Amino acid sequence: MSDLTNFIATNADWFYLAGAILFVLTLRGLSSPKTAIRGNRLGMVAMAIAVITTFFLAEGPIMWMIIGAMVLGAAVGIWKSKTVAMTQMPETVALMHSLVGLAAVAIALATVLHSDQEYNTVTRLELFIGCFIGAITFSASVFAFGKLAAKSWAKTVNGGWVKPVQALLFIAMLGFGAVYFITDSLTAFYVMTVLAIAFGWMWIAPIGGGDMPVVVSLLNSFSGWAAAGIGFTLGNSMLIIAGSLVGSSGAILSYIMCKAMNRSLINVLFGGMGSAAVAGGADDGAPKNYKSGSAEDAGFLMSNASDVIIVPGYGMAQGRAQNAVKELYELLKEEGVNVRFAIHPVAGRMPGHMNVLLAEADVPYDDILEMDEINSDFPSTDVVLVIGANDVVNPSAKDDPTSPIFGMPILEVTKAQTVMVIKRSMSTGYAGLDNSLFYMDKTMMIFGDAKKMVEEMVRSINGGGH
């Protein structure tokens, strides 16, 4: 055992380098659904190398605590991976981010509590930054989890008092952090941590549901920077590299999603759509007429079309309809219909939500197209089937300067000949906005559960003699 320990300790830098390369290849693999599984496997190998190497480098580890924590964590992780529904994946991701933030706080607190030495200014700065980023990530992610899971305690807050409270918490957090940095006061460190937790909660609480995909992506970035900050404190190069990769990739993804919404990151985080339902649009409150139809009508129209585009939204995830949609896709393909999927960057409740669902159902990647790739094809499309999407196909983003989402790029489904929308009711989407698409002459509303309606469409086409 001592020979193995000496070998790993002597070659630790090489093991960490191998792990770092594998983490980079992991991100490369995760950039495409075709290589995502391979990317995940490379990430698992990289993490195993990092954990084992760090384990042998530790001075006087308490074995039963380490192994017990690893076994417990692995058991919970395996259980959740096998039981969590795809509809619960966004809040699950948010909850995992919170654990990374909590770990950063715990490590920072353990470092300042269990050391007899007085840290130099650089180390105190690292502890300060790592701890407050981790604390903000923890509480903000917990709130995001609650909001995505529709918990009663995670209600959006609004009012003129919100921004002053946010500013006071942030300034006080930095103030006590500065006191710790200058004086090495543990009391100041504790107060800073509590204020950071409070700020994280108040920071996310005013943000409306329509912006939650960007928030989840940004919290992913924050969790990475928190890990990197603690990596500096612990002198662990592997943690610095892995945290930096997660932090930078999450930041880039947040930028891409903000660009897709035609919003700045500052506007999302400190403006947002929190009061969209109140502020948006020129709706005079008068009753609006819409056309409704049946799944059989939809099946007939699609089976007799040349080109069909399916636009999935959160309704598909909520109804767990992806496998039924795959069956509809295959059936229409057999009928000679050109069928493709149109994906908006912020469809669903987390980045890539629709891509994950369609990949789970084994929909061919070549027929899953992003907004920029497919928008020009809508004018030549016979039928568009929108499944539970609201805000990403809302024409107000292009036509109504008073709308909170005005200027946001959308899937231009209104240019198709016929639009069919599956919804449970005429209620607004997650951003709280009504959608003029639903009242157009070319639009047919199909009310019901997404999975049930799509299955009825499949039966209609199968039974129609086509």
Side-chain angles (χ1 to χ4, degrees):
M1 187 70 176
S2 59
D3 291 340
L4 178 62
T5 301
N6 291 334
F7 173 76
I8 293 178
T10 304
N11 297 279
D13 290 340
W14 288 106
F15 284 114
Y16 280 156
L17 177 61
I21 293 171
L22 288 174
F23 276 133
V24 173
L25 294 175
T26 295
L27 287 180
R28 180 70 182 88
L30 293 175
S31 65
S32 168
K34 296 180 180 179
T35 56
I37 294 177
R38 185 180 67 195
N40 268 307
R41 288 171 178 165
L42 290 174
M44 292 168 66
V45 173
M47 186 56 70
I49 292 173
V51 170
I52 292 171
T53 303
T54 304
F55 180 84
F56 279 97
L57 288 177
E59 296 180 6
I62 304 175
M63 299 293 291
W64 69 268
M65 291 185 67
I66 295 174
I67 294 175
M70 291 175 67
V71 170
L72 180 60
V76 172
I78 292 171
W79 168 66
K80 288 298 291 182
S81 68
K82 291 182 178 296
T83 59
V84 67
M86 288 305 298
T87 50
Q88 298 173 326
M89 192 56 68
E91 55 260 42
T92 302
V93 171
L95 195 61
M96 286 192 291
H97 293 161
S98 75
L99 295 177
V100 177
L102 183 61
V105 173
I107 291 171
L109 290 173
T111 302
V112 299
L113 279 173
H114 298 288
S115 177
D116 297 328
Q117 63 179 342
E118 182 175 326
Y119 293 115
N120 58 40
T121 55
V122 174
T123 302
R124 288 203 298 273
L125 181 63
E126 293 167 356
L127 285 167
F128 162 47
I129 295 175
C131 186
F132 87 71
I133 292 179
I136 291 172
T137 303
F138 167 64
S139 56
S141 297
V142 169
F143 186 91
F145 159 77
K147 192 167 187 64
L148 290 166
K151 300 294 184 182
S152 59
W153 46 264
K155 298 296 184 183
T156 301
V157 298
N158 289 298
W161 59 272
V162 173
K163 285 184 172 59
V165 169
Q166 289 176 332
L168 286 173
L169 287 171
F170 186 74
I171 293 170
M173 177 192 74
L174 292 181
F176 279 97
V179 171
Y180 166 73
F181 175 73
I182 295 169
T183 67
D184 201 25
S185 166
L186 287 180
T187 301
F189 192 86
Y190 299 150
V191 175
M192 177 206 72
T193 304
V194 172
L195 289 170
I197 291 173
F199 173 75
W201 187 277
M202 283 301 302
W203 173 42
I204 299 300
I207 298 177
D211 291 330
M212 289 313 292
V214 181
V215 171
V216 171
S217 175
L218 190 68
L219 290 173
N220 175 47
S221 177
F222 270 43
S223 69
W225 297 126
I230 296 303
F232 280 106
T233 299
L234 298 177
N236 189 304
S237 58
M238 189 74 261
L239 193 54
I240 296 170
I241 293 169
S244 299
L245 287 172
V246 173
S248 57
S249 60
I252 292 169
L253 180 59
S254 300
Y255 168 77
I256 292 172
M257 296 181 74
C258 286
K259 187 177 179 182
M261 297 169 67
N262 196 34
R263 310 264 302 285
S264 69
L265 189 58
I266 296 298
N267 179 260
V268 170
L269 297 179
F270 297 103
M273 297 183 190
S275 56
V278 178
D283 186 6
D284 58 7
K288 298 178 181 179
N289 296 320
Y290 57 86
K291 294 188 299 185
S292 62
S294 66
E296 289 75 15
D297 297 331
F300 175 81
L301 288 171
M302 285 189 291
S303 62
N304 287 279
S306 297
D307 290 279
V308 172
I309 294 178
I310 300 174
V311 179
Y314 186 67
M316 185 179 78
Q318 193 174 40
R320 304 182 185 182
Q322 59 268 28
N323 291 307
V325 171
K326 165 70 179 310
E327 189 178 356
L328 174 64
Y329 160 86
E330 291 179 331
L331 186 58
L332 291 173
K333 282 281 190 180
E334 292 173 4
E335 296 292 318
V337 181
N338 180 31
V339 188
R340 291 169 297 166
F341 293 83
I343 307 296
H344 193 282
V346 295
R349 302 280 175 89
M350 71 175 186
H353 197 177
M354 298 301 107
N355 304 74
V356 170
L357 291 173
L358 295 175
E360 183 196 29
D362 293 325
V363 173
Y365 306 124
D366 293 339
D367 286 333
I368 302 175
L369 302 177
E370 300 296 328
M371 177 178 63
D372 293 338
E373 299 175 289
I374 203 168
N375 252 349
S376 60
D377 293 346
F378 282 112
S380 60
T381 301
D382 300 317
V383 178
V384 172
L385 176 63
V386 180
I387 306 177
N390 189 85
D391 307 313
V392 299
V393 295
N394 194 334
S396 297
K398 296 179 68 69
D399 306 333
D400 183 5
T402 67
S403 172
I405 62 170
F406 181 70
M408 168 182 165
I410 58 168
L411 291 165
E412 298 176 357
V413 301
T414 55
K415 294 182 178 181
Q417 293 183 27
T418 302
V419 181
M420 302 182 300
V421 181
I422 300 177
K423 277 177 67 70
R424 290 180 181 271
S425 68
M426 289 299 291
S427 60
T428 59
Y430 203 45
L433 302 175
D434 199 8
N435 192 337
S436 58
L437 169 70
F438 303 156
Y439 311 103
M440 291 183 175
D441 291 337
K442 65 171 62 180
T443 303
M444 180 174 73
M445 304 299 297
I446 304 166
F447 296 111
D449 175 77
K451 182 179 180 181
K452 182 179 178 182
M453 292 300 102
V454 173
E455 287 174 343
E456 288 185 12
M457 292 176 192
V458 170
R459 285 195 292 270
S460 171
I461 296 172
N462 273 327
H466 296 285

